[in-house]
Amino acid sequence: MENNEGKESHSSTEVAAQDGLGLLDKDMSNGSQTSVKLALCDLWLGISQWRLWILLGWQDIRQRYRRSLLGPFWLTLSMAIMVGALSFLYGALFSLDLDDYLPFLCLGFIVWGLISGIVTDGCVVFIGSEAFIKQISLPLSVYVYRLIWRNLIIFGHNMVVFVVVACIFSIWPGWSGLLLLPGLILICATGGWVCLLLGLISARFRDVPQLVASFIQVAFFLTPIIWKPELLGDRFGIVDFNPFYHFVEIIRQPMLGNMPDNTSWLVTIGFTALGWILTFLIFSRFRGRIAYWV
Amino acid sequence: MASIHLRNVDVDFPLYSGASRSLKTSLLHLGSGGRIGRTVSDRMCVQALTKVSLQLKDGDRLGIIGPNGSGKTTLLRVLSSIYEPSAGQVFIEGSVASLFDVALGMDTEGTGYENITLRGMLLGLSRSEIEKKVHDIAEFTELGDYLSIPVRTYSSGMLLRLAFAVCTSVEPEILLMDEWIGVGDARFLEKARVRLDDFVHGSSILALASHSNDLIRQVCNKAVLMDKGSVSAFGEVKEIIEYYEQNY
């Protein structure tokens, strides 16, 4: 039974009363306190079930590629083809030096894949897990962690392309390459609240996934991925207002052997912290409704 | 010690029309002070449970009966803390296992053994617990070497055997089941019956929703009759079923 404690403590939590709005509750301080506690519980118990979401995340990948010859390395191959083709096209269009442009483009694409994957999948994190949510009582955060883990696996496969590119152009990130880790942690931490928030809103308002999908497409072109920010000339500063740019930078720059700008660290850390505060408030308020909405 | 206590539990399902599910309409509603997007406020609710109170303690075997749409499944989902009630209180003590869909989460591309692990973890077992049980599960299913090939090649009966064997290998204090699990051919059915009996006896509290009154009579000692979302009768299984058969 010891190993079952995660489940046990979850079910023994008192599920407190909440009227539909939570506002009509007379003993309001008490009511909202419990909902905060339950939300924290959900997030924490979700983490403690890491074995489960790691397994489910792998299963998502395997299911997609089982019985194919290359398996998940199809991800790697299609990324390689994409980067190869585009770098020749855009390198010629912008008349850029391939030595410099191809690694830049490659990393940009890979990091963007991670970010956009988390955001677009995040919209359907609860809608897509409807069967699970309605059949067994797992912490809702498990579905979020599973999604982020799945996207990290994809990221890992795509990074193989960069390793090859780095070898060809003899790029060695050196010590700054270690910054990949904090960069990934920041992206995943932000991804966590983005999924939770978008997943919750999308469960209630079904046109949000469509909205987000078109937004993310526009964001791709507005973010310096296929174009270098230097191209903007003296209007260079406007990219600083694009949070996506900073999230790409905190991984792209270290891998190219440079230190990211301090602004990038500040923006990404601030984005993560503020986002979590906002999301936590919303999550603790509506967590109980998600099962009804999906 | 396991116990379940429901006090005046209400469950309301919001019915969102296409219009109120739309963010645009809702924002319009906010902006226009409620004149344009009036559809938003026309929210309908289905009362799936009204003022349900229930108390169960160790040794209780509750049969949940009632006509279609009377709230049996919703009640089970409240008991497994999937639905948080819109009003009232729920107190549950003890580990809960809910077997509503035995094949939930099965990966058809995975092998039988992989699925034992997967399904076991979904039921809250740890890897070491699963390793301990895997032999027993494999033996029970009688699937032999089939367990090493993808589940997609199984017949539906074989799949059900596997799911059944894994699900009945957990040892929860509170067991919730929606309809009895009917498994495989006649010979296997008897075997499954014995295992299921052991399984049910191992738990402290059982709640079972079923349309088979004979089954409820056999397995349960208490029964609750649901009607239109509220408890219409609660008590000894014999009396309740008699009442149900006469009145519905």
Side-chain angles (χ1 to χ4, degrees), chain A residues 18-19 63 205-206 287 292, chain B residues 21 84 86 94 107 109:
Chain A
Q18 270 186 330
D19 53 49
Q63 232 163 14
F205 301 104
R206 293 302 168 96
R287 188 190 47 85
Y292 291 89
Chain B
R21 281 231 158 188
E84 276 174 26
S86 17
D107 173 10
E109 289 289 342

Side-chain angles (χ1 to χ4, degrees), chain A residues 86-96 101:
Chain A
L86 283 187
S87 58
F88 282 109
L89 174 67
Y90 285 97
L93 275 180
F94 300 135
S95 53
L96 290 165
Y101 181 62

